Amino acid sequence: MKYFLLLFIGCIMSTKAQNVIFDNLKEAPINGGLEMENYWVWGSSVIKGDDGIYHMYASRWPKMLPFHPGWMIQSEIVHATSKTPEGPYQFKDVALGERGAQYWDGKSCHNPKIVKYKDTYILYYMGSTHPFEDVNKENLKDFKLGSKWSVAARWSKRIGIATSKNPYGPWERKETPILDVKPNSYYSYLTSNPSPLIKKDGSVVLLFKGRSYKEDGIAQSDMSIGVATAPHFDGRYTVVSDEPLFSMEKFGEVEDPHLWSDDKGYHMIAKDQRGLLTGGKGDGLLAHSKDGINWVIDDKPKAYTKTIQWNNGKIIKQGQLERPFVLVQDGEPTHIFFATMNGPGGFGNGTKTWNMVIPLK
């Protein structure tokens, strides 16, 4: 009896200590996800529609532009589909494209996150604009991170939503963002990288990335992660605290948060920007919460590394591995999606990007 009791306790402890992502990663399909010729592709979000089809929303921009900061001025959100979560996904249409410099999201739409509440699909995203001429082959030499285009587009980054009754659209956009900046706050410079979760009662918890102005009034600070709430996806969003959830001063700098829930509470996966939390720069971080507001880093926080086991037998350390998205089906995580790049690392050193997927055991 004593032996079985110890065994039972040991099983409970083992289950509790298991990392829901890292310990369950399978091989990544070499032809899964989404890749588009002549485009940089980045940051996907997937939902299973009422039609039984998997709908992916992702960012793309022309490869004529440098990867970074090309996304700031000419990204659009595209829609692709597959009969299976792994893909490959086939391009269907442009969900959110350019609509004019006079709109807050008129020149670039990026970082899509798709959710559904009752009969409405809600596409959360980052938008930005700038008042200048388009970048083309003639003026491309003048386009760089500190150029007028990228400075204006980065400064104008905000979070918004678009809604539709159909995953194929059309999408109705708002004329103003849902989460603006606030003077003298950790998000006084920009808001970006939305990660929403809609509760059963329709209220929303929204994680987001913020940056503040530095003392010189020009440059931006390191990244912080904050949380906002709203009574309804179409309601007023309120940042719950003047202090961020994550920052260089609190835990460490993280990016690309993604949020999901189950009967145990809320879960977050994010990129550990500097490796202060997981021990590996750019590795995945896991945290959990009972209310979506107060967060605790998991005992085994490392969710993934850049080293991928592909189903063709190769093990490759990806140049970049970002924008983690966890697909949850019937209350269980089944797949994790990433934006990835080839090469030795660094946005300027890759020649190809795509959105990949790893099934979970």
Side-chain angles (χ1 to χ4, degrees):
M1 181 67 182
K2 183 177 180 180
Y3 168 80
F4 287 108
L5 180 60
L6 291 173
L7 180 63
F8 177 69
I9 294 173
C11 289
I12 292 176
M13 293 177 67
S14 175
T15 301
K16 183 178 180 180
Q18 188 182 49
N19 184 300
V20 68
I21 302 297
F22 191 85
D23 295 331
N24 289 292
L25 294 171
K26 298 173 73 173
E27 293 181 336
I30 195 71
N31 294 316
L34 174 68
E35 184 178 352
M36 300 190 72
E37 189 176 358
N38 299 321
Y39 286 96
W40 301 110
V41 178
W42 208 243
S44 64
S45 180
V46 175
I47 193 169
K48 188 176 183 180
D50 295 333
D51 55 4
I53 299 295
Y54 291 88
H55 298 265
M56 174 186 283
Y57 301 86
S59 304
R60 76 171 187 185
W61 58 103
K63 291 193 79 172
M64 176 199 77
L65 299 171
F67 177 90
H68 181 61
W71 61 272
M72 291 186 193
I73 65 162
Q74 227 173 103
S75 178
E76 57 187 7
I77 294 173
V78 297
H79 169 222
T81 62
S82 171
K83 292 182 179 179
T84 66
E86 293 85 359
Y89 286 79
Q90 303 298 320
F91 169 78
K92 290 299 178 181
D93 53 74
V94 176
L96 301 178
E98 181 179 350
R99 63 169 178 166
Q102 70 271 31
Y103 292 97
W104 68 273
D105 60 349
K107 287 294 185 178
S108 182
C109 296
H110 201 66
N111 290 143
K113 285 291 177 69
I114 186 70
V115 293
K116 187 182 181 185
Y117 182 67
K118 295 185 177 179
D119 65 344
T120 303
Y121 292 89
I122 307 107
L123 193 55
Y124 286 76
Y125 65 101
M126 177 225 82
S128 67
T129 190
H130 65 80
F132 309 113
E133 70 278 12
D134 289 336
V135 175
N136 52 43
K137 292 181 179 179
E138 284 69 38
N139 59 16
L140 183 60
K141 65 182 185 302
D142 300 320
F143 176 62
K144 53 188 176 181
L145 190 58
S147 65
K148 60 183 181 181
W149 295 278
S150 57
V151 169
R154 173 172 268 172
W155 171 84
S156 65
K157 287 167 63 176
R158 304 289 186 270
I159 292 172
I161 61 171
T163 57
S164 177
K165 299 297 184 182
N166 191 309
Y168 294 89
W171 295 91
E172 182 180 347
R173 302 198 224 182
K174 290 182 171 294
E175 293 187 4
T176 57
I178 62 166
L179 194 61
D180 210 333
V181 295
K182 178 183 176 182
N184 300 316
S185 72
Y186 64 88
Y187 55 100
S188 63
Y189 190 85
L190 59 81
T191 63
S192 183
N193 296 39
S195 182
L197 189 142
I198 301 181
K199 300 179 181 179
K200 291 181 179 180
D201 64 1
S203 61
V204 183
V205 174
L206 179 72
L207 300 185
F208 69 96
K209 181 177 84 174
R211 290 186 189 265
S212 62
Y213 282 98
K214 286 188 175 180
E215 291 181 0
D216 60 13
I218 300 174
Q220 59 179 338
S221 70
D222 295 319
M223 296 178 290
S224 296
I225 302 299
V227 59
T229 60
H232 186 260
F233 70 80
D234 205 22
R236 181 180 179 182
Y237 287 76
T238 304
V239 178
V240 300
S241 174
D242 291 333
E243 297 295 326
L245 297 178
F246 291 88
S247 67
M248 281 300 296
E249 294 72 36
K250 184 179 180 181
F251 297 128
E253 187 182 37
V254 305
E255 190 183 16
D256 303 341
H258 175 70
L259 179 62
W260 78 96
S261 67
D262 57 22
D263 56 4
K264 298 180 181 65
Y266 296 83
H267 308 279
M268 183 190 73
I269 192 169
K271 184 183 74 169
D272 186 357
Q273 185 74 5
R274 301 173 188 248
L276 299 178
L277 297 161
T278 62
K281 184 178 179 180
D283 289 352
L285 168 75
L286 277 180
H288 61 274
S289 171
K290 291 297 183 183
D291 56 9
I293 309 298
N294 302 288
W295 289 84
V296 177
I297 297 171
D298 281 24
D299 293 336
K300 294 176 66 177
K302 190 187 292 288
Y304 60 84
T305 72
K306 292 181 182 179
T307 302
I308 302 297
Q309 173 79 58
W310 297 93
N311 67 353
N312 63 356
K314 293 184 178 181
I315 299 176
I316 300 174
K317 184 176 182 180
Q318 302 299 114
Q320 300 292 139
L321 194 70
E322 309 201 3
R323 304 287 190 267
F325 172 84
V326 177
L327 177 64
V328 177
Q329 302 185 90
D330 299 323
E332 295 290 339
T334 62
H335 298 77
I336 181 168
F337 292 77
F338 295 99
T340 193
M341 175 183 279
N342 67 354
F347 291 137
N349 298 318
T351 61
K352 182 178 78 168
T353 66
W354 68 103
N355 288 317
M356 59 171 289
V357 57
I358 303 178
L360 298 173
K361 297 175 185 176

